[in-house]
Amino acid sequence: MEAPSFHSDRIDADRIDELVELLDLQADLPGIRRMRQWAHEALAVRAGERALDIGAGTGSEALVFAERVGDAGAAIGLDPNPAMLAVARRRAAAAGLCARFVHGSVYHLPFPDASFDAVRCERVYQHLDDPAAATAEIARVLRPGGRVLLIDSDWYTAITHPGDPAVVEALGTAMLADVPNPASGRRLRGLLAGQGFVIDDQGSEAVIWDPVTARPLYQQMNEQASRYGTVTAEEFERFLADLDAGIERGDFHLSVTMFAVLAHKP
């Protein structure tokens, strides 16, 4: 699960390798794997269908679509970052899978009305200033009876241990200050219902991060907190010392809950 301040359309090309490495590490987290497996089973994309993955990132989930739809269908991944699209295209070619990757925004999907049987969107809504407009666009490109699966984090469910609770709270507050929609996970159902979708199922996963994946997030949180002046260098060093001591003795926890909602267009 990416740190919420990673807006992929704002990542410079020379930082793409850093982002890709982080996304690959996150994709290996057991909680992410379980959530994605559940999501694909719930969405149940079939041979011959047209499926769209919004916020495709490295392309991994669009490639799952490509395997499922086969030659008679279409698997498309959409992302706002050209450098990330290049990564996804290289990985699709290496895997020998026919997935197409398209540049675009969830606010203006570059597809005709009623052109997809299934749409998937993971961890995009937390970055959106107008999630209702994005949901309306998803409704537009889905055919009647088409399915949508939204997945996102609720960053107010995050738990960090060990560490001074006041410092942990200050770090978290600073990190979320620039996130448009940090509680997006809890709002997915209402957004879909507001666009007339019929809710079919819901799922959740408390994704537990390992130290290797968590350490870069804490560094990023400190950068944000330093800008806002909410955590001193000394406080952060003490926090890191407590954290590293906990990791050393096996007493460490970082989790955040992800929620998923499956719906269909009447």
Side-chain angles (χ1 to χ4, degrees):
M1 179 179 335
E2 77 269 25
S5 59
F6 270 118
H7 296 259
S8 64
D9 57 331
R10 302 179 194 173
I11 300 293
D12 295 332
D14 58 0
R15 289 194 61 208
I16 284 295
D17 289 346
E18 174 187 341
L19 178 55
V20 168
E21 180 181 8
L22 179 61
L23 293 177
D24 286 343
L25 285 170
Q26 293 166 5
D28 283 337
L29 292 173
I32 294 288
R33 294 201 306 266
R34 286 192 294 268
M35 173 58 83
R36 287 179 167 178
Q37 181 179 357
W38 178 88
H40 280 296
E41 290 174 357
L43 196 55
V45 170
R46 300 180 293 272
E49 289 192 315
R50 290 178 52 82
L52 171 66
D53 186 38
I54 296 173
T58 63
S60 61
E61 307 315 293
L63 297 187
V64 175
F65 281 164
E67 291 179 324
R68 289 179 173 237
V69 302
D71 294 339
I76 299 173
L78 179 134
D79 202 273
N81 191 299
M84 187 61 75
L85 289 169
V87 172
R89 288 168 183 146
R90 286 197 299 269
R91 292 189 174 188
L97 291 169
C98 189
R100 184 161 66 94
F101 292 95
V102 177
H103 181 266
S105 163
V106 67
Y107 293 127
H108 304 286
L109 296 173
F111 309 108
D113 295 354
S115 54
F116 289 98
D117 300 287
V119 172
R120 177 189 178 280
C121 184
E122 178 188 328
R123 290 178 289 170
V124 170
Y125 271 60
Q126 61 189 275
H127 303 301
L128 300 181
D129 297 302
D130 192 350
T135 312
E137 267 293 271
I138 290 173
R140 181 186 66 79
V141 301
L142 271 174
R143 65 168 179 78
R147 295 99 63 206
V148 56
L149 193 288
L150 301 183
I151 304 173
D152 221 315
S153 307
D154 189 322
W155 284 96
Y156 294 116
T157 67
I159 299 171
T160 293
H161 170 81
D164 181 333
V167 174
V168 170
E169 182 179 1
L171 288 168
T173 299
M175 180 183 74
L176 298 180
D178 297 329
V179 180
N181 197 14
S184 56
R186 72 185 70 178
R187 295 173 175 153
L188 299 177
R189 179 185 177 115
L191 287 163
L192 289 167
Q195 292 296 329
F197 283 97
V198 177
I199 308 301
D200 297 311
D201 202 355
Q202 296 180 92
S204 67
E205 182 76 36
V207 177
I208 299 171
W209 294 36
D210 58 38
V212 173
T213 326
R215 222 31 173 73
L217 175 61
Y218 291 125
Q219 294 290 351
Q220 187 183 358
M221 292 164 74
N222 184 51
E223 291 174 12
Q224 290 279 95
S226 297
R227 285 210 310 271
Y228 288 106
T230 54
V231 175
T232 67
E234 293 78 12
E235 287 173 328
F236 185 66
E237 288 305 316
R238 284 199 301 273
F239 166 75
L240 277 187
D242 290 342
L243 191 70
D244 288 338
I247 291 170
E248 180 67 24
R249 65 177 180 266
D251 181 21
F252 164 81
H253 180 90
L254 170 63
S255 67
V256 64
T257 304
M258 294 177 67
F259 295 93
V261 182
L262 173 71
H264 72 270
K265 181 178 176 178

Coordinates of all heavy atoms in Angstrom, one line a residue, residues 171-204:
L171 N 3.2 12.6 13.5 CA 3.7 12.1 12.2 C 2.6 11.8 11.3 O 2.6 12.2 10.1 CB 4.6 10.9 12.4 CG 6.0 11.1 13.1 CD1 6.6 9.8 13.4 CD2 6.9 11.9 12.1
G172 N 1.6 11.1 11.8 CA 0.4 10.7 11.0 C -0.4 11.9 10.5 O -0.8 12.0 9.4
T173 N -0.6 12.9 11.4 CA -1.3 14.1 11.1 C -0.6 14.9 10.0 O -1.2 15.3 9.0 CB -1.5 15.0 12.3 OG1 -2.3 14.3 13.3 CG2 -2.3 16.3 11.9
A174 N 0.7 15.0 10.1 CA 1.5 15.7 9.0 C 1.4 14.9 7.7 O 1.3 15.6 6.6 CB 2.9 15.9 9.5
M175 N 1.5 13.6 7.8 CA 1.5 12.8 6.5 C 0.2 13.0 5.8 O 0.1 13.1 4.6 CB 1.7 11.3 6.9 CG 1.7 10.4 5.7 SD 1.8 8.7 6.1 CE 0.2 8.3 6.7
L176 N -0.9 13.1 6.6 CA -2.3 13.1 5.9 C -2.7 14.5 5.6 O -3.7 14.7 4.9 CB -3.3 12.5 6.9 CG -3.1 11.0 7.2 CD1 -4.2 10.5 8.1 CD2 -3.0 10.2 5.9
A177 N -1.9 15.6 5.9 CA -2.4 16.9 5.7 C -2.5 17.2 4.2 O -3.4 18.1 3.9 CB -1.3 17.9 6.3
D178 N -1.8 16.6 3.4 CA -1.8 16.9 1.9 C -2.6 15.8 1.2 O -2.6 15.8 -0.1 CB -0.4 17.0 1.3 CG 0.3 18.2 1.9 OD1 -0.4 19.2 2.3 OD2 1.5 18.2 2.0
V179 N -3.2 14.9 1.9 CA -4.0 13.8 1.3 C -5.4 14.2 1.1 O -6.1 14.5 2.1 CB -3.9 12.5 2.1 CG1 -4.7 11.4 1.4 CG2 -2.4 12.1 2.2
P180 N -6.0 14.3 -0.1 CA -7.3 14.9 -0.2 C -8.4 14.0 0.5 O -9.4 14.6 0.9 CB -7.5 14.9 -1.8 CG -6.2 14.9 -2.3 CD -5.3 14.1 -1.4
N181 N -8.2 12.7 0.5 CA -9.3 11.8 0.9 C -8.8 10.7 1.7 O -8.9 9.5 1.4 CB -10.0 11.3 -0.4 CG -11.4 10.7 -0.1 OD1 -12.0 10.9 0.9 ND2 -11.9 10.0 -1.1
P182 N -8.2 11.0 2.9 CA -7.5 9.9 3.7 C -8.5 8.8 4.2 O -8.0 7.7 4.5 CB -6.8 10.7 4.8 CG -7.6 11.9 4.9 CD -8.0 12.3 3.5
A183 N -9.8 9.2 4.4 CA -10.7 8.2 4.9 C -11.5 7.5 3.8 O -12.6 7.1 4.0 CB -11.7 8.9 5.9
S184 N -10.9 7.5 2.6 CA -11.7 7.0 1.4 C -12.2 5.6 1.5 O -13.3 5.4 1.0 CB -10.7 7.1 0.2 OG -9.6 6.4 0.4
G185 N -11.5 4.7 2.3 CA -12.0 3.4 2.3 C -13.4 3.3 2.9 O -14.3 2.5 2.4
R186 N -13.8 4.1 3.9 CA -15.1 4.0 4.5 C -16.2 4.6 3.6 O -17.4 4.5 3.9 CB -15.1 4.6 5.9 CG -15.0 6.1 5.9 CD -14.9 6.7 7.3 NE -13.6 6.4 7.9 CZ -13.2 6.8 9.1 NH1 -14.0 7.6 9.8 NH2 -12.0 6.5 9.5
R187 N -15.8 5.4 2.6 CA -16.7 6.2 1.8 C -17.1 5.5 0.4 O -17.9 6.0 -0.3 CB -16.2 7.6 1.6 CG -16.1 8.4 2.9 CD -15.4 9.7 2.7 NE -15.4 10.4 4.0 CZ -14.5 11.4 4.3 NH1 -13.6 11.6 3.5 NH2 -14.6 12.0 5.4
L188 N -16.4 4.4 0.1 CA -16.6 3.8 -1.2 C -18.0 3.4 -1.5 O -18.6 3.6 -2.5 CB -15.6 2.6 -1.4 CG -14.1 2.9 -1.3 CD1 -13.3 1.7 -1.4 CD2 -13.7 3.9 -2.3
R189 N -18.6 2.7 -0.5 CA -20.0 2.3 -0.7 C -21.0 3.4 -1.0 O -21.8 3.4 -1.9 CB -20.5 1.5 0.6 CG -21.9 1.0 0.4 CD -22.4 0.3 1.7 NE -23.8 0.0 1.5 CZ -24.3 -1.3 1.5 NH1 -23.5 -2.3 1.7 NH2 -25.6 -1.5 1.3
G190 N -20.8 4.5 -0.2 CA -21.7 5.6 -0.4 C -21.5 6.3 -1.7 O -22.5 6.8 -2.3
L191 N -20.3 6.4 -2.2 CA -20.0 7.0 -3.5 C -20.7 6.2 -4.6 O -21.3 6.7 -5.5 CB -18.5 7.1 -3.7 CG -17.8 8.2 -2.9 CD1 -16.3 7.9 -2.8 CD2 -18.1 9.6 -3.5
L192 N -20.6 4.8 -4.5 CA -21.2 4.0 -5.5 C -22.7 4.1 -5.4 O -23.4 4.2 -6.5 CB -20.7 2.5 -5.3 CG -19.3 2.3 -5.7 CD1 -18.8 0.9 -5.2 CD2 -19.1 2.4 -7.2
A193 N -23.3 4.0 -4.2 CA -24.7 4.1 -4.1 C -25.2 5.5 -4.6 O -26.3 5.5 -5.2 CB -25.1 3.9 -2.6
G194 N -24.4 6.5 -4.4 CA -24.8 7.8 -4.9 C -24.9 7.9 -6.4 O -25.6 8.8 -6.9
Q195 N -24.2 7.1 -7.1 CA -24.3 7.0 -8.6 C -25.3 6.0 -9.1 O -25.3 5.7 -10.3 CB -22.9 6.8 -9.2 CG -21.9 8.0 -8.9 CD -22.4 9.2 -9.6 OE1 -23.0 9.2 -10.7 NE2 -22.1 10.4 -9.0
G196 N -26.1 5.4 -8.2 CA -27.1 4.5 -8.6 C -26.6 3.0 -8.7 O -27.4 2.2 -9.2
F197 N -25.4 2.7 -8.3 CA -24.9 1.3 -8.4 C -25.7 0.5 -7.3 O -26.0 1.0 -6.2 CB -23.4 1.3 -8.1 CG -22.6 1.7 -9.3 CD1 -22.1 2.9 -9.4 CD2 -22.3 0.7 -10.3 CE1 -21.3 3.3 -10.4 CE2 -21.5 1.1 -11.3 CZ -21.0 2.4 -11.4
V198 N -25.8 -0.8 -7.6 CA -26.3 -1.7 -6.6 C -25.1 -2.4 -5.9 O -24.3 -3.0 -6.6 CB -27.2 -2.8 -7.3 CG1 -27.7 -3.8 -6.3 CG2 -28.4 -2.1 -8.0
I199 N -25.1 -2.4 -4.6 CA -24.0 -3.0 -3.9 C -24.2 -4.5 -3.8 O -25.2 -4.9 -3.3 CB -23.9 -2.3 -2.5 CG1 -23.8 -0.8 -2.6 CG2 -22.7 -2.9 -1.7 CD1 -22.7 -0.2 -3.4
D200 N -23.2 -5.2 -4.2 CA -23.2 -6.7 -4.2 C -22.4 -7.3 -3.1 O -22.8 -8.4 -2.6 CB -22.8 -7.2 -5.5 CG -23.7 -6.8 -6.6 OD1 -24.9 -6.9 -6.5 OD2 -23.1 -6.3 -7.7
D201 N -21.3 -6.8 -2.7 CA -20.5 -7.4 -1.7 C -19.5 -6.4 -1.2 O -19.2 -5.3 -1.8 CB -19.7 -8.6 -2.3 CG -19.3 -9.6 -1.2 OD1 -19.4 -9.3 0.0 OD2 -18.7 -10.6 -1.6
Q202 N -18.9 -6.6 0.0 CA -17.9 -5.8 0.6 C -16.8 -6.7 1.2 O -17.1 -7.8 1.7 CB -18.4 -4.9 1.7 CG -19.4 -3.9 1.1 CD -20.0 -2.9 2.2 OE1 -19.5 -1.9 2.4 NE2 -21.0 -3.4 2.8
G203 N -15.6 -6.2 1.3 CA -14.5 -6.9 1.9 C -13.6 -6.0 2.6 O -13.6 -4.8 2.4
S204 N -12.7 -6.5 3.5 CA -11.7 -5.7 4.2 C -10.5 -6.5 4.5 O -10.6 -7.7 4.6 CB -12.3 -5.0 5.4 OG -12.6 -6.0 6.4

